[in-house]
Amino acid sequence: MPERQKIALVGIGKIAVDQHVPALAASPDWELAATVSRAGTVDGVEAFTDIDTMLAARPDIGMVSLALPPVPRFAYAQAALRAGCHVMLEKPPGATLAEIHALEALADAQGVTLYTTWHSRMAHAVAPARAWLAD
């Protein structure tokens, strides 16, 4: 079995605790290796209060998932991309289109992946897709 990929989750609020943490714990592919939050933590996972400290202390983590509001997310994404990490942006991916274009260019320059989610935008398609894929 392949080694699980280490991921840092930034922003340990209600959605992260209710959705992200259980999904990562259930995944054979990912290991929640660190968190970054001003207040939230996850039992048994190394916790940091700022991203720069985490990135410096944990160069073995190659993926950062940002579950933060759009405005502070931009600086966090820049830091993670500059550190050579792949980055996932929670919805919406940025406060402005210019931010997304800047992050895209930075990810390209660093040779890493920038993945943006926005599942609620396509939520109307979930039920028909589930029915179509059932058989």
Side-chain angles (χ1 to χ4, degrees):
M1 182 160 83
E3 185 176 333
R4 293 170 66 192
Q5 298 296 306
K6 292 180 180 169
I7 188 169
L9 182 57
V10 181
I12 307 301
K14 179 166 176 37
I15 300 277
V17 170
D18 291 351
Q19 301 294 322
H20 296 267
V21 173
L24 290 168
S27 173
D29 301 317
W30 298 101
E31 172 193 342
L32 181 55
T35 63
V36 178
S37 180
R38 291 180 298 177
T41 60
V42 174
D43 287 342
V45 178
E46 187 172 14
F48 296 88
T49 56
D50 71 87
I51 193 162
D52 292 325
T53 302
M54 186 278 296
L55 292 168
R58 296 297 306 270
D60 59 311
I61 295 174
M63 169 67 186
V64 175
S65 178
L66 299 174
L68 297 168
V71 173
R73 191 180 311 137
F74 180 68
Y76 281 73
Q78 285 182 311
L81 290 169
R82 286 188 181 122
C85 293
H86 303 287
V87 172
M88 186 192 87
L89 302 173
E90 186 58 68
K91 66 178 182 353
T96 68
L97 286 175
E99 285 183 358
I100 301 308
H101 291 298
L103 293 176
E104 179 184 31
L106 181 55
D108 285 343
Q110 293 294 101
V112 295
T113 300
L114 177 67
Y115 182 79
T116 60
T117 67
W118 202 328
H119 60 279
S120 64
R121 193 161 121 191
M122 297 304 295
H124 65 278
V126 171
R130 182 181 297 126
W132 182 72
L133 292 168
D135 61 13

